[in-house]
Amino acid sequence: MCKKTPSLMVLIGLAIGLTACGAGKDSDSRLDIVAGFYPLAYISEQVGGEFVEVTTLAASNTEPHDLELTPKQRTRVADADLVVYLKGFQPAFDDAVSDHNRDRGFDAAGVEPLLDGYTPIDGEQEHETLEEDGKGKDPHVWLNPIRLANLVQGLAKRFTEIQPSHGEAFNIAAAKLRGRLQALDTEIDAALANCQSRTIVVSHNAFGYFAERYDLRQVAISGLSPEQEPSPERLAEVSRIAERNHVDTVFFESVVSPKVAETIAAEIGAKTAKLDPIETKPNSGDYFDQMRANTQALRTALKCS
């Protein structure tokens, strides 16, 4: 048996050290990604493909705003190669990232600046209550496909920084997904181009980015938090605006009680329909399927041709 020479031992030690301290993660291992909620998990899976393993901490059919983390979940955040989140949307998740894994976080709000929560209705004067309840930044940036496409590009860049050996695959997947999002944007724009009405009444102030992109006017019964109980003054004000704009459909969400939407609808003689903010994984299909379902619901409500 040959003895290892001192010089060979030094070279082995250096090689081990370089492997441990390298800038990128080992190309043979999958990136461990923890995402705060569905849309960020979805784009992580689409961009990362076979080279990532994505965990979503917000359970399906529950309100992700209200996520509370168990000690085990906080450990998952601490151990992840990358944590994908949107600062301000899930306070408990934000705290876990800040406490345990700040250097390995991808903040969507840092890539795509957020809009103010309140957007005034053209020609309406009576919305002091609406304005008060809409204070803050609107986190629902993924409801504009072009803004989501910008997040996809930023995420691919971050994945590549962590695992450079798969950078080409990440960028190809991101380009494909961005192309699909741009095509979806064109599809929705055409579908909502010619409508008898452009005012939508929704249960929760979540559709500002969608409304901005497609020239709609959002009137929200509740503020940025879907759990916020609307005041009687707010209910009366929404009803007045809805009647003035001849709204005949009030939209509710799948993970929030429809009772308030039903109350407004009964008040103005309207019907109710579902409009999903896609905060959680759809019961069937994916982000694209639900965006198309939302668009069809709006086409019916707004009497689009």
Side-chain angles (χ1 to χ4, degrees):
M1 177 182 285
C2 297
K3 293 183 179 180
K4 293 183 176 68
T5 64
S7 59
L8 181 59
M9 295 297 292
V10 170
L11 289 173
I12 293 172
L14 286 172
I16 294 172
L18 288 171
T19 300
C21 302
K25 186 178 174 66
D26 188 334
S27 63
D28 292 332
S29 58
R30 301 171 75 187
L31 294 180
D32 178 21
I33 309 297
V34 173
F37 58 104
Y38 171 70
L40 299 184
Y42 178 74
I43 63 172
S44 297
E45 291 168 345
Q46 296 298 304
V47 173
E50 64 180 311
F51 305 114
V52 302
E53 182 174 352
V54 181
T55 301
T56 313
L57 295 188
S60 298
N61 298 318
T62 60
E63 179 48 63
H65 293 78
D66 302 328
L67 175 69
E68 294 295 336
L69 298 183
T70 65
K72 184 177 180 179
Q73 288 175 319
R74 291 180 71 90
T75 299
R76 287 289 294 110
V77 171
D79 292 342
D81 294 316
L82 186 68
V83 184
V84 184
Y85 68 111
L86 195 156
K87 189 173 183 180
F89 183 62
Q90 297 168 295
F93 198 87
D94 296 349
D95 290 344
V97 175
S98 179
D99 292 344
H100 303 299
N101 210 343
R102 185 179 302 175
D103 294 337
R104 285 176 283 170
F106 178 87
D107 177 14
V111 175
E112 189 64 22
L114 303 182
L115 296 174
D116 290 332
Y118 173 72
T119 303
I121 306 299
D122 293 344
E124 299 291 348
Q125 301 300 321
E126 302 175 21
H127 31 57
E128 293 180 2
T129 305
L130 298 181
E131 184 173 5
E132 182 66 26
D133 287 350
K135 286 184 176 178
K137 294 295 183 180
D138 183 355
H140 304 86
V141 64
W142 58 90
L143 292 177
N144 177 333
I146 299 303
R147 288 180 179 263
L148 186 59
N150 294 337
L151 294 183
V152 167
Q153 185 174 20
L155 191 61
K157 180 180 178 181
R158 190 61 182 275
F159 281 2
T160 300
E161 291 171 353
I162 302 172
Q163 200 169 59
S165 60
H166 297 312
E168 183 178 3
F170 296 145
N171 287 319
I172 290 173
K176 180 178 178 181
L177 181 56
R178 293 180 71 227
R180 292 183 63 202
L181 288 166
Q182 289 162 356
L184 177 66
D185 173 65
T186 300
E187 178 184 333
I188 296 172
D189 188 55
L192 300 177
N194 298 300
C195 304
Q196 293 183 22
S197 174
R198 306 208 70 81
T199 299
I200 59 173
V201 174
V202 297
S203 60
H204 157 219
N205 187 2
F207 296 91
Y209 294 95
F210 191 97
E212 178 202 46
R213 182 66 184 171
Y214 304 111
D215 191 29
L216 302 177
R217 301 179 181 92
Q218 172 188 235
V219 179
I221 300 171
S222 296
L224 291 171
S225 170
E227 302 299 329
Q228 183 177 358
E229 191 71 25
S231 66
E233 293 80 10
R234 184 184 182 93
L235 292 174
E237 191 166 7
V238 169
S239 295
R240 285 196 296 272
I241 294 174
E243 286 185 313
R244 194 172 297 144
N245 287 275
H246 308 290
V247 170
D248 66 3
T249 303
V250 178
F251 290 102
F252 65 91
E253 300 172 20
S254 57
V255 296
V256 179
S257 171
K259 289 183 179 180
V260 177
E262 291 169 350
T263 298
I264 293 285
E267 176 73 22
I268 66 174
K271 57 183 177 292
T272 59
K274 176 183 172 182
L275 199 65
D276 196 329
I278 323 183
E279 296 172 353
T280 61
K281 182 176 174 57
N283 290 330
S284 62
D286 60 12
Y287 168 87
F288 286 88
D289 296 311
Q290 190 57 61
M291 286 288 281
R292 291 189 173 100
N294 283 350
T295 301
Q296 184 55 52
L298 288 168
R299 278 181 56 81
T300 300
L302 301 177
K303 299 179 175 62
C304 305
S305 58

